[in-house]
Amino acid sequence: MSAEGIRSRQFSCLRKILERAGPVCHPDFEPSAEILNFISNDCKVLVIGAGGLGCELLKNLGLMGFRDIHVIDMDTIDLSNLNRQFLFRRKDIGKPKAEVAAEFINKRISGCNVKPHFCKIQDFDEDFYRQFSIVICGLDSIIARRWINAMLVSLLVYEEDILDQTSLIPLIDGGTEGFKGNARIILPGMTACIECTLDLFPPQVTYPLCTIASTPRLPEHCIEYVKLLQWPKENPFECSIDGDDPSHIGWIYEKSLERAACFSIRGVTYRLVQGVVKNIIPAVASTNAVIAATCVTEAFKLASSCCSTLNNYMVFNNVDGVYTYTYEAEKKDDCFVCSPFFRVKYMDLPHDGMKLNEFIEFLSGLQYQMKNPGIVAAFAERNRTLYMSGVPSIEEMTRDNLKKSLKELNIINGTKLIVTDVTRPTPLEIVIRFSEINN
Amino acid sequence: MIQLFKLKKNGETATKGTTKRSSAAQLRITKDINELNLPKTCTTKFDDPDDLLNFKITIAPDEGFYRGGKFTFSFRVGPNYPHEPPKVKCETPVYHPNIDLEGNVCLNILREDWKPVLTINSIVYGLQYLFLEPNPEDPLNKEAAEVLQSNKRIFEQNVQKAMRGGYVGSVYFDRCLK
Ligand SMILES: [Zn+2]
């Protein structure tokens, strides 16, 4: 049989959907044989993550007729992955997930061409991401999600303030945690983006590094201090932290107690240490399967226009029976990421007596969830670095600013700040507005 | 609903957006610096924390030929960063096949292989690698490269001599041991 013949048999089911009209089709849908060609030959899909969700996504995409697929993953295969990451075998342990997954799919599904990238998403720039028609995320990292979200927004082109839709790359995002999961579609610039709905994410408890290092108040601050700063420095067991090793937890427990004593903080317990250090997210194979199936179905709908797509956020929960619910997450007009780049971004603060360290805590709080913000004030004459925790020499020189108020740092209504953080591919430029000025 | 199939069929992907909007050198370097994640053999020095375009990075290798030495590089980030790499010079006189006596450094990512997606961090890792694996194939200091190729022991002795402060051949090196 000819290659085309095999192909038409391979996807005969899809052709029934794409080449015939029906009562549940989208009203604008025009059935044609061209659509399968588009899906197979022109629709380039990027899958981010080749783990639990990623394996499912790649398999589903291949079986739904997509052939031009790229996959990025920076991890290697571990024994504990094998129960659900079904593209991997025992012999693959230690090899890059992206490469093994791609090889498996390419061998198993004829015609499919998955191209692996064993690296971080941050290793690629705009030119790389611009080549795709759809991006699907199966990640467990919120930082990476936020980064790719902002990257896709940055690719948008506006023509006289009107969004040019050909520059839009839909982002389909899947996430699972135990028996719960969600799938959503983001049309950057048009519908709610990850950043618009940051408050949906279980507020990951992370603390600003400056608080951990200089002004701890909570027992968790002390534990994080030992985990993030003291362990790498003293390296007591000549290896990285293993949350399952009682001697590791014991060491962190003791050091955290010492640190807590220095600051008269109470409440450090062995259990709390375990909780903070391990931060475990359980993985359930069937949840991954449901969420990945939803994501790829939506990719198929987007690529073919055959049916209306998810609008726009689906939650799934099978802890107690099966529960699912879809609603329209709302786009924030003043979103720092997806409002048009030409619109000035304002940040409203209560008053100019706010201390810089309070401001940093505010940036790290629920609303913005930054991890390690570096802050530079863009004054007319010159830029002034207010604080950067990551670079010891700068941290030392700017540490005194933490205790100063924004007013003392010459920040007035209308001052522009440049804030950079790992959650974004580019720094954020914001204009400060105070509700109240102290005299 | 967005019609990907029709959009992509009629017009190709928009490429007008290739002009990078907010990637002025200042913005980008702020991000690079904030996210520096250096190996413990490296330290930074900023004379002025408000000037992120000019700074120094010192590498003190803890293995290889140059173990025990301390080498300072100056970084000058120009207005076209990240479309052009920063200018990096070695301020410590060093006997090294890929660093000449004026402090010019031969590292691929500082010239032909530079890409805007690379960062200051990538350069520091590249420099650190030069001390671990000096590369005689592509020399700036031809003499040092020849010695490295012909006799590793002599090369090692020469490196030691230079780092302790003294002459290698007719060239004087300042002491740069930790
Ligand atoms: Zn948004």
Side-chain angles (χ1 to χ4, degrees), chain A residues 36-37 44 50 70 109 117 161 202 211 219 254 322 335 357 362 365 380 404 412 416 429:
Chain A
L36 185 59
N37 280 337
K44 205 171 199 175
H70 287 229
I109 304 174
H117 303 278
D161 298 3
T211 305
E254 260 164 48
V322 178
C335 173
N357 64 354
F362 172 68
K404 292 186 189 154
I412 55 171
K416 188 162 95 179
E429 294 172 271

Side-chain angles (χ1 to χ4, degrees), chain A residues 125 209 274:
Chain A
D125 61 7
L209 211 57
Q274 248 181 338

Side-chain angles (χ1 to χ4, degrees), chain A residues 38 123 154 156 164 166 168 302-303 307 341 372 374 382-385 391 393 397 420-422 424-425 427, chain B residues 1-2 4-6 8 14 16-18 20-21 26-27 30-31 33-35 44 46 48-50 52 117:
Chain A
F38 170 73
D123 293 340
S154 77
L156 295 175
D164 173 356
T166 60
L168 185 152
L302 275 170
C307 289
F341 72 95
N372 197 16
R382 65 176 306 191
N383 283 359
R384 192 160 162 223
T385 304
V391 187
S393 54
M397 287 188 282
T420 140
D421 191 59
V422 286
R424 306 174 48 92
Chain B
M1 152 171 198
I2 179 161
L4 263 197
F5 168 57
K6 288 194 183 130
K8 299 281 147 103
K16 289 151 257 166
T18 35
K20 325 239 160 166
R21 282 193 291 260
Q26 276 283 0
L27 284 178
T30 309
K31 183 162 176 64
I33 299 297
N34 192 48
E35 282 164 31
T44 59
F46 287 79
D48 173 0
D50 298 338
L52 301 178
V117 72

Side-chain angles (χ1 to χ4, degrees), chain A residues 149 191-196 331-332 335-339:
Chain A
N149 176 62
T191 65
C193 81
I194 301 267
E195 217 73 13
C196 290
K331 182 167 163 17
K332 264 196 203 160
C335 173
F336 278 170
V337 169
C338 74
S339 66

Side-chain angles (χ1 to χ4, degrees), chain A residues 91-155:
Chain A
K91 65 173 173 31
D92 301 322
I93 290 172
K95 293 186 197 159
K97 288 185 178 180
E99 286 170 15
V100 176
E103 202 188 314
F104 192 110
I105 296 285
N106 293 343
K107 213 151 100 196
R108 180 68 182 73
I109 304 174
S110 73
C112 199
N113 179 20
V114 182
K115 193 166 178 227
H117 303 278
F118 174 40
C119 62
K120 296 184 299 203
I121 55 173
Q122 289 86 352
D123 293 340
F124 291 113
D125 61 7
E126 291 96 328
D127 293 333
F128 174 81
Y129 290 106
R130 197 177 281 115
Q131 65 178 308
F132 296 100
S133 308
I134 301 176
V135 175
I136 312 183
C137 263
L139 285 162
D140 54 10
S141 153
I142 293 178
I143 294 184
R145 272 201 189 92
R146 291 171 69 183
W147 192 94
I148 188 71
N149 176 62
M151 169 56 82
L152 295 184
V153 169
S154 77
L155 299 180

Side-chain angles (χ1 to χ4, degrees), chain A residues 311-369:
Chain A
N311 185 26
N312 52 36
Y313 197 112
M314 189 272 284
V315 285
F316 172 79
N317 185 335
N318 59 356
V319 172
D320 189 10
V322 178
Y323 170 81
T324 177
Y325 172 66
T326 301
Y327 71 101
E328 185 176 350
E330 264 177 63
K331 182 167 163 17
K332 264 196 203 160
D333 263 349
D334 57 350
C335 173
F336 278 170
V337 169
C338 74
S339 66
F341 72 95
F342 47 81
R343 195 180 296 166
V344 179
K345 276 129 187 125
Y346 290 100
M347 184 180 274
D348 290 305
L349 298 176
H351 57 86
D352 60 355
M354 190 180 215
K355 302 267 197 295
L356 185 63
N357 64 354
E358 292 168 341
F359 178 60
I360 292 174
E361 287 189 22
F362 172 68
L363 292 176
S364 315
L366 185 60
Q367 201 175 350
Y368 300 112
Q369 301 188 28

